[in-house]
């Protein structure tokens, strides 16, 4: 026998013996885990019907906005804190004087039909917003009509402003439409065009089919995914109202439902197969005082305003009217926003201190009356709001609470359109409960600068020199740290003065069946932001091996 072969046999035999010895003393198991898998369709019931799946026209319809958020892209996009991030534009530059913004498009970006996205598409979209006959929100037209647009190259677009305006970047989140698809449709016919139901987008999802009752979306294979979505389809089913959408969930026709009515939240909480998500949304509700009403000079007294906020149990209002789905706020800049100052003072319910302030301000109970008086005039005013049931209950309960400190507030309810046209803009009110959406840049100038009393939304006529200066300078500087400092000064001035009582920030309420995994909950700027992380959602899962686990049997025996 060959010596080399003989030694090999000996070594093999010894190896086998050693292996048998090891196996006899150890056990081996494979370690596995469950991970997301590809496939599955998420079906959501929504209240309303699509009209314009077109980002130029979608601002008045939440269903349109939901669809546009998935189908279209802007030059930029916002994160959950209101920061501006690149989207179609890879990067941008701002001139030292803050007047010129140059955006450089991703040269590989295409429309969903494979045609390239160019600066001509951007210029065309902005041209629609600048058109005198643009049928969308006036503030969007007003901003863009002051901007000159040029296209130095096929993937470069330049905006020239007439004056520095730091919040401008927010407006570049505007969804871009295809010039090729829309250039032959006059803007006067755009609203009624059938193209609105056949969008050519550039976003992460594209519409596979759409009918009067549902829209089915599939991943856009041309979108520059960092990670392909797990879901193979997303479907929206349309219902006439939120109650009908919720009923569809109970019938298991859909897997999710957005904006659940308050009246149905008790039932929603009892559904064992529903995960509820309650992120704060960028809105605020407040009571604004008319500080320039000569018939009610007590609103001009800061001590009276302080007494009114101290005499209002806002946490109880949220608990009883909103069933707890809101949170008390004290700053007109919301806590999630990058400009929020954590140093803001928080007013706590203190009726005793409220009454002391009113007494020191000369408002006393006279002749056994339950309403305080001063110089023969009662501490009394009308508080007006629209017919939203939540708003109505809010002013009724606020009036009841103020009555306990000797203040008489008389609720008045009107149509929303009348509230705006007959009360707020002509300043024909004493106090008004209103709600605002606060997307993106925190710029408070339109609502709180003294110049906005006559031509803006400073309905109560607040005028504060320190606040005005902070707002003015913050609009002119592009330095974020400096803007944070300036807005902290503004917030401090607002909280010291209390020109309005900030009541609450609502929580957006939506539910998703627990078979859908990977859903994350974060602050929302607008309702469609609930889909911000939809590429991480999954329904299908699979088990994979992650390693080999070895256990010593003899050690266990001992």
């Amino acid at each position: 026998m060959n010596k080399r072969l003989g030694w090999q046999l000996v070594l093999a035999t010894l190896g086998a013996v050693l292996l048998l010895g090891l196996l006899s003393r150890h056990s081996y198991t494979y370690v596995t885990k469950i991970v997301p898998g590809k496939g599955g369709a998420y079906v959501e019931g929504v209240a309303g019907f699509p009209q314009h799946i077109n980002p130029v026209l979608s601002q008045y319809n939440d269903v349109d906005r939901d669809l546009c958020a998935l189908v279209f892209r802007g030059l930029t996009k916002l994160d959950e804190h209101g920061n501006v991030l690149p989207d179609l534009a890879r990067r941008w530059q701002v001139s030292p004087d803050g007047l010129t913004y140059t955006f450089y498009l991703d040269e590989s970006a295409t429309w969903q039909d494979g045609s390239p996205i160019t600066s001509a598409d951007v210029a065309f979209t902005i041209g629609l917003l600048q058109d005198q006959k643009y049928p969308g929100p006036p503030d969007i037209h007003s901003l863009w009509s002051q901007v000159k647009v040029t296209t130095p190259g096929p993937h470069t677009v330049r905006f020239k402003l007439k004056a520095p305006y730091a919040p401008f970047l927010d407006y570049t989140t505007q969804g871009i439409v295809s010039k090729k698809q829309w250039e032959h449709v006059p803007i006067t016919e755009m609203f009624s065009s059938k193209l609105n139901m056949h969008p050519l987008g550039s976003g992460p999802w594209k519409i596979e089919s759409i009918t009067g009752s549902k829209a089915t979306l599939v991943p856009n294979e041309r979108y520059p995914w960092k990670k392909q979505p797990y879901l193979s389809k997303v479907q929206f089913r349309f219902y006439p109202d939120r109650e009908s959408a919720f009923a569809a969930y109970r019938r298991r026709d859909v897997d999710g439902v957005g904006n659940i009515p308050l009246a149905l939240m008790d039932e929603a909480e009892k559904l064992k197969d529903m995960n509820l998500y309650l992120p704060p949304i960028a809105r605020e509700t407040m009571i604004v005082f008319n500080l320039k009403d000569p018939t009610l000079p007590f609103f001009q007294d800061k001590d009276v305003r302080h007494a009114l906020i101290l005499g209002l149990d806002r946490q109880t209002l949220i608990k009883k009217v909103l069933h707890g789905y809101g949170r008390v706020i004290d700053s007109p800049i919301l806590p999630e926003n990058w400009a929020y100052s954590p140093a803001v003072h928080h007013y706590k319910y203190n009726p005793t201190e409220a009454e002391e302030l009113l007494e020191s301000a000369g408002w006393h109970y006279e002749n056994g009356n339950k309403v305080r008086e001063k110089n023969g005039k009662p501490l009394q005013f009308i508080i007006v709001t629209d017919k939203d049931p939540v708003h109505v209950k809010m002013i009724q309960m606020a009036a009841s609470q103020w009555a306990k400190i000797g203040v008489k507030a008389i609720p008045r309810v009107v149509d929303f359109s009348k509230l705006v046209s007959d009360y707020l803009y002509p300043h024909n009110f004493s106090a008004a409960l209103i709600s605002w959406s606060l997307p993106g840049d925190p710029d408070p100038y339109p609502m709180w600068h003294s110049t906005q009393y006559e031509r803006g939304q400073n309905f109560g006529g607040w005028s504060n020199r320190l606040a005005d200066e902070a707002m003015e300078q913050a609009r002119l500087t592009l330095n974020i740290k400096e803007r944070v400092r300036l807005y902290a000064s503004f917030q401090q001035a607002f909280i010291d003065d209390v020109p309005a009582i900030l009541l609450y920030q609502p929580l957006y309420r939506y539910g998703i069946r627990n078979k859908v995994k990977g859903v994350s909950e974060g602050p929302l700027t607008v309702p469609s932001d609930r889909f911000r992380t939809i590429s991480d959602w999954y329904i299908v899962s699979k088990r994979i091996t992650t390693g080999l686990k070895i256990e010593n049997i003899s050690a266990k025996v001992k």
Side-chain angles (χ1 to χ4, degrees):
M1 180 185 292
N2 184 292
K3 288 185 177 181
R4 181 176 296 179
L5 180 59
W7 278 110
Q8 288 176 344
L9 287 172
V10 170
L11 290 173
T13 303
L14 287 172
V17 171
L18 288 171
L19 180 60
L20 286 171
L22 287 171
L23 289 172
S24 66
R25 301 177 63 181
H26 295 80
S27 66
Y28 299 84
T29 56
Y30 286 102
V31 179
T32 64
K33 68 176 182 179
I34 301 295
V35 298
K38 298 282 187 179
Y42 170 68
V43 183
E44 179 164 302
V46 295
F49 300 88
Q51 298 174 8
H52 307 98
I53 311 174
N54 177 342
V56 172
L57 304 174
S58 64
Q59 292 87 352
Y60 297 121
N61 184 333
D62 279 346
V63 176
D64 290 340
R65 292 182 69 153
D66 285 349
L67 290 166
C68 284
L70 297 174
V71 174
F72 289 92
R73 302 167 70 189
L75 290 172
T76 62
K77 59 185 177 182
L78 297 177
D79 70 7
E80 62 268 30
H81 302 295
N83 297 300
V84 181
L85 305 176
D87 200 354
L88 282 174
R90 292 177 300 144
R91 60 187 178 91
W92 58 87
Q93 294 176 332
V94 186
S95 62
D97 60 6
L99 296 178
T100 304
Y101 290 71
T102 304
F103 287 82
Y104 302 93
L105 304 185
D106 179 355
E107 296 182 14
S108 65
T110 67
W111 296 105
Q112 291 167 352
D113 66 356
S115 58
I117 298 173
T118 70
S119 56
D121 294 305
V122 179
F124 174 77
T125 302
I126 303 307
L128 295 172
L129 306 177
Q130 294 174 328
D131 196 296
Q132 291 294 332
K133 297 178 180 179
Y134 171 61
D139 63 308
I140 293 178
H141 168 74
S142 177
L143 181 282
W144 283 110
S145 64
Q146 303 297 311
V147 177
K148 182 180 179 181
V149 184
T150 56
T151 54
H155 296 98
T156 305
V157 62
R158 184 166 292 146
F159 302 121
K160 183 67 178 292
L161 282 60
K162 292 185 176 181
Y165 182 53
F168 173 71
L169 276 177
D170 256 33
Y171 289 83
T172 62
T173 61
Q174 167 67 47
I176 303 301
V177 298
S178 165
K179 178 181 179 180
K180 179 181 70 174
Q181 184 182 36
W182 285 101
E183 65 180 332
H184 300 298
V185 181
I187 195 165
T188 52
E189 298 175 14
M190 206 172 193
F191 227 68
S192 58
S193 173
K194 293 180 179 179
L195 291 177
N196 288 306
M197 291 296 106
H198 303 280
L200 177 59
S202 58
W205 298 79
K206 62 181 180 180
I207 292 181
E208 180 183 62
S209 63
I210 185 166
T211 66
S213 61
K214 63 185 178 182
T216 302
L217 288 76
V218 295
N220 173 17
E221 67 278 6
R222 292 187 171 90
Y223 181 76
W225 296 99
K226 291 182 180 179
K227 180 182 67 175
Q228 283 286 327
Y230 298 113
L231 296 172
S232 60
K233 291 186 179 182
V234 172
Q235 187 178 93
F236 291 88
R237 294 190 182 176
F238 311 124
Y239 298 92
D241 49 51
R242 293 184 294 162
E243 290 75 13
S244 300
F246 189 79
Y249 182 92
R250 290 198 304 259
R251 295 193 305 269
R252 305 190 72 84
D253 291 343
V254 299
D255 301 315
V257 57
N259 201 6
I260 301 172
L262 279 172
L264 295 175
M265 282 302 294
D266 286 344
E267 183 178 349
E269 288 181 340
K270 296 175 184 176
L271 293 173
K272 294 181 180 180
D273 66 348
M274 175 182 278
N275 287 328
L276 280 172
Y277 299 91
L278 305 169
I281 190 165
R283 294 175 183 165
E284 61 185 12
T285 297
M286 69 186 80
I287 296 173
V288 178
F289 302 124
N290 188 340
L291 306 179
K292 294 192 174 185
D293 186 346
T295 67
L296 298 173
F298 54 76
F299 279 138
Q300 298 166 25
D301 186 336
K302 187 163 69 172
D303 284 343
V304 172
R305 299 197 300 273
H306 279 194
L308 289 172
I309 191 170
L310 291 169
L312 206 57
D313 188 348
R314 294 175 289 169
Q315 196 61 59
T316 294
L317 291 178
I318 291 170
K319 181 179 179 180
K320 292 189 174 181
V321 180
L322 294 176
H323 305 284
Y325 299 111
R327 63 182 182 183
V328 173
I329 53 172
D330 284 289
S331 168
I333 295 176
L334 297 174
E336 297 77 32
N337 194 278
W338 56 264
Y340 175 75
S341 171
V344 298
H345 174 71
H346 299 282
Y347 289 96
K348 296 183 178 180
Y349 178 51
N350 192 332
T352 301
E353 185 180 350
E355 295 210 74
E356 291 172 354
L357 282 171
L358 292 175
E359 284 289 331
S360 65
W363 294 95
H364 311 297
Y365 292 109
E366 304 288 351
N367 304 318
N369 292 335
K370 294 183 179 181
V371 179
R372 294 176 180 273
E373 296 181 10
K374 183 177 181 179
N375 300 326
K377 293 185 177 181
L379 186 50
Q380 173 179 311
F381 59 90
I382 293 172
I383 180 170
V384 63
T385 194
D386 62 277
K387 293 182 178 180
D388 183 311
V390 169
H391 292 173
V392 174
K393 290 179 183 178
M394 279 284 173
I395 63 171
Q396 291 172 342
M397 286 195 64
S400 177
Q401 290 185 4
W402 278 330
K404 296 176 182 178
I405 61 171
V407 177
K408 185 175 182 179
I410 304 168
R412 177 177 293 174
V413 179
V414 299
D415 290 330
F416 177 77
S417 59
K418 190 173 183 180
L419 173 67
V420 174
S421 62
D422 296 357
Y423 290 85
L424 296 177
Y425 275 105
H427 313 289
N428 183 31
F429 69 96
S430 304
L433 185 146
I434 57 177
S435 291
W436 289 101
S437 293
L438 300 169
D441 194 278
D443 178 27
Y445 189 100
M447 288 183 62
W448 300 114
H449 195 274
S450 60
T451 61
Q452 301 304 295
Y453 177 67
E454 294 295 340
R455 51 192 173 90
Q457 297 162 342
N458 183 4
F459 301 125
W462 183 46
S463 179
N464 180 293
R465 183 179 60 82
L466 292 177
D468 276 359
E469 290 178 355
M471 287 184 279
E472 291 164 8
Q473 293 174 37
R475 278 191 145 195
L476 298 177
T477 180
L478 300 178
N479 186 295
I480 290 294
K481 290 183 178 180
E482 179 64 8
R483 292 190 78 198
V484 168
R485 184 190 70 78
L486 291 166
Y487 283 140
S489 297
F490 158 76
Q491 290 168 83
Q492 187 60 54
F494 183 97
I495 291 165
D496 288 344
D497 248 13
V498 194
I501 295 178
L502 298 170
L503 295 177
Y504 64 88
Q505 176 186 13
L507 303 181
Y508 189 79
R509 306 170 301 275
Y510 66 106
I512 297 177
R513 207 172 301 280
N514 54 21
K515 73 173 186 178
V516 183
K517 311 295 184 182
V519 181
S520 60
E521 182 177 29
L524 307 182
T525 300
V526 292
S528 60
D529 285 343
R530 66 190 185 276
F531 301 119
R532 185 183 280 125
T533 61
I534 197 170
S535 62
D536 296 325
W537 299 10
Y538 66 96
I539 295 173
V540 175
S541 58
K542 60 183 180 180
R543 185 177 293 276
I544 63 170
T545 301
T546 60
L548 190 65
K549 184 178 180 181
I550 304 174
E551 292 185 292
N552 190 322
I553 296 175
S554 59
K556 284 188 175 183
V557 173
K558 290 179 182 180

